[in-house]
């Protein structure tokens, strides 16, 4: 069965004045969802396709391009096409049932005996998976300070290193990796580069244009943006044997995102540029104000000039530095936990990127072996008024300081 990320049906928008989606800005690409008009109803919102099976032609062919829902779905294709366009992904995009499913598929596509380099600071769930499951796949994994390109170069195992996994900004310490420089090192060693760009979004960083081979997102986060869909996606720079292997793994393992979730994700994608811009601006304003707060010992945010990765972030991020920041609370772990207990607007919950602002004491979540300091609180800035968010956090910090002190 042939497969493409191109949406089905005609589009009045793509013919208007000869302006094609390739000429559109990311804001227009997302809002228009590539401009597709349903050919049957003329609806401007793509329909939801729930069917699990499709009619064969009289000669038993499938000229519609669909045969069964496990490897493919029309609604899922629609969302994939928008993400691929936003990421400038020539190979297209593959949606999975979660970010972890997308990342795991990529590692499972490697050969036994391959060597992987991953960052010391990364999403804890995937770090734990690499420590526990990668050895069972006969994959060797070294964790390095990815923000230091020379550490990456030193970790290369000639003839064995096949993948360098980057996460930038790194969760939750907001570390920044120079994608272009690390990609150059990896390419010289014959290794692919995959970038977890969840905390940046394609509105602020497009890793494929910086030399990466694959970009991954937990689409649960800002791509969807409404805390009501669990999804993951891989987008590829080119179609090659490895990309075909990923496509086969998703289809064979039944890891595709369901059509209803894809439909909701498409709804979120249409406002992504507006949300990402607003959330990034709010995060920067909060970071700047919290830097001067007497009860905050450090603010971790790449948009601050004194952040060690600021220069690299300013070079590879456009229009903002992302929606995630972390603070270290004066008074230590007890004060940090008590601060999170006292907020009203901020919600004590796991995840990132939603329209509502979230706060979490990460060391408690990640447990023993975490690189996260015990006095750290991770903040995911939503679209609320940053002044309201600051007042809420200020009151919580003050209350916790009085209680602990």
């Amino acid at each position: 069965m042939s497969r493409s990320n191109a949406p089905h049906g005609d589009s009045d928008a793509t013919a208007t004045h000869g302006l094609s989606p390739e000429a559109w800005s990311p804001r227009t690409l997302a809002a228009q969802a590539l401009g597709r008009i349903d050919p049957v109803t003329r609806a401007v919102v793509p329909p939801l396709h729930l069917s699990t099976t499709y009619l064969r032609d009289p000669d038993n062919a499938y000229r519609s391009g669909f045969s069964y829902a496990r490897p493919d779905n029309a609604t899922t294709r629609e969302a994939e096409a928008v993400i691929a366009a936003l990421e400038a992904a020539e190979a297209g995009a593959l949606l999975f049932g979660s970010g972890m499913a997308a990342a795991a598929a990529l590692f499972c596509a490697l050969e036994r005996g391959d060597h992987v380099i991953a960052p010391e600071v990364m999403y804890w769930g995937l770090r734990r998976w690499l420590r526990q499951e990668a050895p069972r796949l006969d994959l060797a994994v070294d964790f390095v300070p990815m923000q230091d390109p020379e550490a990456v170069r030193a970790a290369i195992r000639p003839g064995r290193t096949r993948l360098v996994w980057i996460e930038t900004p790194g969760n939750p310490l907001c570390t920044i990796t120079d994608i272009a420089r690390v990609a150059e090192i990896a390419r010289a060693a014959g290794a692919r580069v995959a970038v977890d760009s969840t905390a940046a979004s394609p509105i602020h960083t497009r890793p494929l244009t910086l030399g990466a081979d694959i970009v991954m997102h937990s689409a649960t986060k800002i791509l969807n943006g409404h805390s009501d869909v669990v999804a993951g996606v891989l987008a590829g720079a080119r179609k090659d044997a490895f990309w075909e292997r990923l496509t086969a793994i998703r289809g064979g393992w039944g890891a595709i995102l369901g059509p209803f979730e894809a439909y909701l994700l498409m709804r979120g994608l249409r406002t992504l540029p507006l949300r990402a811009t607003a959330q990034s601006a709010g995060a920067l304003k909060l970071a700047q104000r919290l830097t001067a707060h007497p009860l905050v010992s450090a603010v971790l945010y790449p948009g601050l000039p004194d952040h060690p990765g600021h220069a690299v972030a300013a070079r590879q991020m456009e229009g903002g530095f992302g929606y995630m920041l972390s603070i270290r609370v004066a008074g230590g772990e007890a004060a940090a936990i008590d601060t999170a207990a006292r907020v009203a607007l901020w919600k004590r919950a796991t995840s990132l990127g939603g329209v509502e602002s979230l706060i979490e004491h990460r060391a408690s979540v990640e447990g023993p072996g975490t690189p996260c300091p015990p006095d750290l609180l991770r903040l995911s800035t939503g679209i609320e008024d940053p002044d309201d968010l600051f007042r809420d956090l200020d009151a919580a910090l003050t209350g916790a300081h009085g209680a602990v002190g």
Side-chain angles (χ1 to χ4, degrees):
M1 179 186 68
S2 62
R3 186 187 187 284
S4 168
N5 276 108
H8 290 282
D10 65 351
S11 170
D12 293 343
T14 58
T16 303
H17 306 303
L19 186 63
S20 67
E22 289 76 15
W24 296 352
S25 71
R27 180 168 171 174
T28 302
L29 277 173
Q32 288 278 328
L34 297 181
R36 180 187 185 263
I37 302 298
D38 180 60
V40 176
T41 65
R42 313 304 292 166
V44 299
V45 176
L48 172 59
H49 294 275
L50 295 172
S51 182
T52 59
T53 192
Y54 304 86
L55 188 68
R56 287 181 182 269
D57 297 323
D59 61 358
N60 276 335
Y62 281 111
R63 292 180 179 83
S64 69
F66 297 94
S67 61
Y68 192 61
R70 184 181 65 241
D72 202 359
N73 175 272
T75 302
T76 305
R77 282 194 192 185
E78 298 282 353
E80 289 174 339
V82 174
I83 295 171
L86 291 171
E87 287 288 3
E90 292 185 12
L94 297 169
L95 277 167
F96 291 77
S98 69
M100 277 297 302
L106 193 150
F107 287 101
C108 289
L110 297 170
E111 299 293 335
R112 302 186 73 86
D114 283 352
H115 174 238
V116 174
I117 300 174
E120 290 177 340
V121 176
M122 62 183 295
Y123 169 55
W124 75 282
L126 182 55
R127 185 178 71 239
R128 182 179 62 179
W129 188 93
L130 287 172
R131 292 186 184 279
Q132 295 179 351
E133 302 300 328
R136 299 177 185 177
L137 299 172
D138 196 24
L139 297 176
V141 182
D142 283 329
F143 296 90
V144 306
M146 194 66 68
Q147 64 272 27
D148 178 5
E150 293 310 309
V152 177
R153 191 189 306 276
I156 293 286
R157 300 186 190 180
R160 284 198 62 197
T161 303
R162 293 290 177 254
L163 179 68
V164 178
W165 179 270
I166 294 173
E167 182 179 313
T168 186
N171 180 7
L173 301 185
C174 296
T175 50
I176 297 295
T177 297
D178 189 329
I179 297 172
R181 191 170 175 194
V182 170
E184 182 180 4
I185 294 170
R187 191 177 302 111
R192 291 181 179 84
V193 171
V195 179
D196 180 345
S197 195
T198 298
S201 90
I203 304 308
H204 298 309
T205 307
R206 294 199 298 173
L208 302 184
T209 67
L210 297 171
D213 300 287
I214 294 174
V215 59
M216 189 281 285
H217 292 276
S218 171
T220 307
K221 311 304 193 292
I222 198 166
L223 294 191
N224 176 59
H226 293 79
S227 301
D228 56 8
V229 170
V230 175
V233 67
L234 299 174
R238 69 195 64 83
K239 285 188 177 181
D240 55 16
F242 191 77
W243 185 257
E244 294 302 323
R245 168 83 171 136
L246 287 171
T247 303
I249 285 175
R250 190 189 68 164
W253 294 2
I256 192 172
L257 184 68
F260 182 65
E261 290 79 8
Y263 182 86
L264 291 177
L265 175 58
M266 176 70 88
R267 173 217 54 191
L269 286 168
R270 295 178 83 133
T271 60
L272 171 62
L274 299 179
R275 291 184 287 101
T277 300
Q279 289 173 247
S280 176
L284 177 60
K285 186 173 183 178
L286 282 168
Q288 291 169 336
R289 295 188 68 178
L290 289 167
T291 297
H293 199 289
L295 300 180
V296 174
S297 61
V299 179
L300 311 180
Y301 186 66
L304 297 174
D306 62 352
H307 185 283
H310 176 72
V312 173
R315 188 167 65 246
Q316 68 185 22
M317 301 184 80
E318 300 178 2
F321 297 90
Y323 55 89
M324 179 182 69
L325 68 149
S326 293
I327 61 173
R328 299 186 66 173
V329 179
E333 181 177 15
I337 292 174
D338 196 32
T339 296
R342 292 173 180 270
V343 293
L345 279 177
W346 296 85
K347 306 305 179 189
R348 290 181 302 279
T350 290
S351 200
L352 295 163
V355 294
E356 64 288 306
S357 293
L358 305 179
I359 186 170
E360 189 166 53
H361 183 253
R362 288 302 298 171
S364 297
V365 174
E366 298 188 15
T370 176
C372 187
D375 60 357
L376 182 141
L377 292 174
R378 187 185 71 185
L379 309 177
S380 172
T381 309
I383 62 172
E384 305 94 340
D385 188 321
D387 291 335
D388 290 338
L389 293 172
F390 178 81
R391 284 193 292 268
D392 185 37
L393 196 54
D394 174 53
L397 285 163
T398 302
H401 178 73
V404 175

